[in-house]
Amino acid sequence: MFSKTFSRSFRQSTTGRHVFRRRIASQHTDAADVTLKEHCVQAAPVPPLTIDIDSPQEFLRHATSSDSIPLHIHRPSSTGKSRAHELLRRLREAEDRIIDVELGRYDDATAGSFEHISLPLGQYLNWIESDQSNGGKVAGRQLYLAQWRASDDIPALAQLIQPPPLLAPLLKDVPVKADLYQTSFFIGPAGAVTPLHYDPYFNLYHLYASANPERHAKHIFLLPPHASEFVKRADGQHALRNTSSIGLSLATSQNGDAFAIMAAPDTPGRSVEAMSTSGFCCILREGETLFIPKGWWHRVENVVLGHDQQPSNSGWTAGIGWWWLPRANPSRIP
């Protein structure tokens, strides 16, 4: 059931009677104040895939090696067309299904700041496709359909969306080389953020579709496991032990296609230095995939590309996380 506050705010936002102020991080300008500039985090580009795109065995060796790093797999749709239409059609066929949507940021430990809201899928789709989804917030809180097991809920999606080419053979080989833990969908508006955290699984994160492939993408910042000492929580929140308490935001470049990573002013200098020394980042566009090794910290934000970003811009992305673990002993992988 909706909370009263959420129901009222959501109805107002979708009917146009109440427009929420756009506050996505990519709206920061280069004219950041001196304090923020002192906390800019430097990050190297995620290396592009250099192994054979059709060699799952070599990919598995890389994934399980002690020096495994993220890989940016540039493989856009062969048709050159957005897959948004077909994805939305399949979702609309099940628009009466009730889904749980995140309201607020789960890394906010303030009491009452985060909850799951149940609503019809069609109502959420109407919202992300409307101009009223600007900033991705309702009543000042982020609204995001995250970690949704859509393929389990909607059989038609399982037929449409298949495992990435590097993973699919590993799930079918005899003997099987990898086990799929979960397939999760992240469907959200511009400005939606998944905070800095790590997972105990390998992840092939695929940006399946977007409202506009030229405009809507994901910015991803990553840190290796050895950076945990500098970004892990120190506030005793046991339930959030895999999520950092460091506040990060994005500042857009002049042309709007590059972003500076800004740490909150209260971030310890040693943490900023550690993140700058070991951090990676990339812009993930429709059809592209990012390999995230097990235990790597990562922060994901839906961004709008281009220098003419305006508060009237709406749009969304649909990402899919394929979480898996190798079944074979890494030392025995041929």
Side-chain angles (χ1 to χ4, degrees):
M1 297 293 292
F2 292 130
S3 66
K4 292 182 179 179
T5 300
F6 175 80
S7 293
R8 181 172 58 255
S9 299
F10 191 92
R11 288 196 302 269
Q12 290 172 336
S13 70
T14 53
T15 58
R17 292 194 299 268
H18 185 86
V19 179
F20 294 102
R21 185 177 180 180
R22 182 181 178 87
R23 289 191 284 178
I24 66 173
S26 60
Q27 288 295 301
H28 288 290
T29 68
D30 292 329
D33 62 39
V34 174
T35 302
L36 288 180
K37 284 186 176 179
E38 291 175 350
H39 291 82
C40 182
V41 176
Q42 305 297 320
V46 173
L49 184 73
T50 55
I51 61 177
D52 185 350
I53 192 69
D54 296 316
S55 177
Q57 291 292 346
E58 189 168 342
F59 166 67
L60 184 59
R61 281 194 290 271
H62 169 80
T64 55
S65 67
S66 59
D67 57 353
S68 177
I69 62 172
L71 295 173
H72 189 178
I73 304 169
H74 299 270
R75 197 177 192 184
S77 173
S78 59
T79 63
K81 297 180 180 179
S82 171
R83 290 173 283 185
H85 177 76
E86 182 61 21
L87 175 63
L88 288 174
R89 186 181 71 81
R90 301 288 180 106
L91 293 175
R92 289 289 184 184
E93 290 174 352
E95 63 180 11
D96 291 336
R97 185 175 298 276
I98 301 300
I99 56 172
D100 287 334
V101 181
E102 295 180 356
L103 180 61
R105 289 263 300 266
Y106 70 80
D107 59 326
D108 188 344
T110 306
S113 62
F114 174 77
E115 59 183 312
H116 283 93
I117 300 296
S118 297
L119 71 158
L121 173 60
Q123 187 175 5
Y124 181 73
L125 295 176
N126 290 341
W127 180 71
I128 64 170
E129 289 191 277
S130 73
D131 289 339
Q132 306 309 314
S133 68
N134 287 326
K137 294 181 179 179
V138 170
R141 288 195 281 173
Q142 172 177 288
L143 189 68
Y144 197 9
L145 178 54
Q147 299 190 46
W148 176 37
R149 300 191 184 192
S151 295
D152 294 338
D153 287 351
I154 304 177
L157 286 183
Q159 301 168 8
L160 177 67
I161 297 170
Q162 299 298 316
L166 286 176
L167 180 61
L170 302 178
L171 302 174
K172 298 178 180 179
D173 278 356
V174 181
V176 174
K177 299 294 192 302
D179 292 315
L180 184 64
Y181 164 69
Q182 184 174 319
T183 303
S184 292
F185 283 64
F186 296 78
I187 304 175
V193 174
T194 299
L196 187 64
H197 71 287
Y198 70 86
D199 299 309
Y201 305 97
F202 296 96
N203 187 358
L204 278 168
Y205 191 85
H206 181 64
L207 206 172
Y208 182 81
S210 63
N212 183 338
E214 302 301 321
R215 298 277 288 162
H216 297 282
K218 290 180 178 286
H219 177 282
I220 304 179
F221 173 62
L222 305 107
L223 292 167
H226 65 71
S228 296
E229 175 185 355
F230 304 98
V231 299
K232 65 182 180 182
R233 300 193 77 88
D235 57 8
Q237 294 290 333
H238 180 73
L240 296 173
R241 61 186 180 276
N242 74 323
T243 304
S244 176
S245 57
I246 291 177
L248 297 174
S249 60
L250 300 180
T252 186
S253 64
Q254 188 172 7
N255 66 8
D257 288 344
F259 299 86
I261 303 163
M262 313 302 297
D266 60 352
T267 305
R270 68 191 191 103
S271 296
V272 175
E273 182 179 359
M275 289 188 289
S276 296
T277 300
S278 57
F280 290 89
C281 68
C282 74
I283 299 293
L284 201 67
R285 293 174 169 83
E286 181 177 297
E288 297 181 347
T289 304
L290 178 68
F291 166 61
I292 305 174
K294 181 177 66 173
W296 274 66
W297 295 83
H298 50 288
R299 176 190 185 274
V300 185
E301 179 170 343
N302 287 351
V303 294
V304 182
L305 304 178
H307 68 279
D308 59 338
Q309 298 179 37
Q310 298 293 332
S312 61
N313 287 333
S314 61
W316 53 270
T317 65
I320 305 172
W322 299 85
W323 288 325
W324 59 280
L325 285 173
R327 178 178 292 188
N329 185 323
S331 62
R332 297 181 181 177
I333 295 174

